[in-house]
Amino acid sequence: NAGVTQTPKFQVLKTGQSMTLQCAQDMNHNSMYWYRQDPGMGLRLIYYSASEGTTDKGEVPNGYNVSRLNKREFSLRLESAAPSQTSVYFCASFRGQGASYNEQFFGPGTRLTVL
Amino acid sequence: GNSVTQMEGPVTLSEEAFLTINCTYTATGYPSLFWYVQYPGEGLQLLLKATKADDKGSNKGFEATYRKETTSFHLEKGSVQVSDSAVYFCALSEGSASKIIFGSGTRLSIRP
């Protein structure tokens, strides 16, 4: 049981390049999330998917797109990377409505640098 | 809107010292409250939680009590260890954990 996995762990891009961050969970959770973590700002929600087939914007969605490929996988795409997107990106999952406890489980993160 | 405010760091203590990290919240309803911990190079892990007023969450020697009257959820530990060095995040969610709001994090460093 790997929990939440993310690839890659590190990535360096040049301004204008595109890339996709991958996330998968093996806990049969319904909901999945993408956050970015910047110094002194905690975690900010980029996009989330409450259930398979649905996605919604979070606090800071501009410059990003997401795909909920199936129940296990939730990817984050940067179409044209900008230096302001330099950050650490975390994926998380949650069992969903009706769960007996309300905890999100986090992946190990992807450290992205945009030059 | 809902928000979480926690004390700014970094906090540096000597081993076996008493720890308090303050956290206050603003919410329209009756949120659940959490403390998450992030060890160097890792993702966040749930440390403890409380789902209603006067509940006390505890784990690994850490404790926090849900105080509705002061809208607070301060994290405490009686005797810290070097292995407690990490970043601690206070957080809240309303209804379910479908959306969690995090504080800015407090970096804790423990000197041997």
Side-chain angles (χ1 to χ4, degrees):
Chain A
N1 199 346
V4 180
T5 56
Q6 293 182 234
T7 55
K9 289 188 176 177
F10 301 94
Q11 184 70 48
V12 179
L13 294 177
K14 294 180 180 178
T15 297
Q17 287 185 316
S18 62
M19 79 160 294
T20 300
L21 281 64
Q22 306 287 354
C23 174
Q25 52 91 8
D26 62 2
M27 296 174 282
N28 201 35
H29 285 175
N30 292 313
S31 302
M32 298 183 73
Y33 309 81
W34 277 105
Y35 294 90
R36 59 178 290 173
Q37 182 181 28
D38 301 296
M41 301 191 73
L43 273 74
R44 293 182 292 170
L45 183 64
I46 304 171
Y47 270 94
Y48 67 102
S49 171
S51 61
E52 188 179 354
T54 68
T55 60
D56 285 288
K57 295 178 180 179
E59 181 184 354
V60 289
N62 291 345
Y64 305 95
N65 286 301
V66 291
S67 295
R68 183 75 182 267
L69 303 170
N70 47 54
K71 192 171 186 180
R72 289 187 65 250
E73 299 172 288
F74 188 41
S75 63
L76 178 72
R77 182 159 180 84
L78 286 69
E79 290 291 351
S80 179
S84 60
Q85 294 177 304
T86 294
S87 188
V88 181
Y89 292 85
F90 288 100
C91 178
S93 71
F94 166 60
R95 201 168 134 197
Q97 285 292 110
S100 59
Y101 51 89
N102 46 3
E103 175 186 351
Q104 290 190 8
F105 293 82
F106 284 80
T110 296
R111 187 174 295 274
L112 175 67
T113 301
V114 183
L115 302 175
Chain B
N2 297 344
S3 65
V4 175
T5 303
Q6 59 182 107
M7 64 189 289
E8 292 200 16
V11 174
T12 303
L13 296 172
S14 296
E15 206 166 20
E16 299 183 3
F18 184 86
L19 168 71
T20 300
I21 300 178
N22 290 335
C23 172
T24 57
Y25 68 90
T26 302
T28 52
Y30 301 94
S32 294
L33 301 174
F34 309 87
W35 277 100
Y36 279 82
V37 59
Q38 183 181 29
Y39 298 105
E42 298 183 11
L44 279 70
Q45 305 172 25
L46 182 66
L47 179 61
L48 53 85
K49 66 178 181 182
T51 57
K52 61 183 188 297
D54 300 324
D55 268 1
K56 177 186 282 188
S58 61
N59 187 24
K60 299 182 180 179
F62 291 89
E63 292 183 341
T65 301
Y66 189 142
R67 300 286 188 201
K68 188 170 181 294
E69 62 275 14
T70 55
T71 62
S72 64
F73 192 55
H74 304 322
L75 182 67
E76 297 182 334
K77 186 174 185 181
S79 177
V80 293
Q81 306 300 313
V82 172
S83 57
D84 294 327
S85 298
V87 181
Y88 292 82
F89 292 91
C90 186
L92 70 81
S93 73
E94 285 201 271
S96 71
S98 60
K99 289 176 82 170
I100 292 184
I101 296 171
F102 289 89
S104 57
T106 301
R107 182 176 298 277
L108 174 66
S109 296
I110 307 300
R111 293 188 299 252

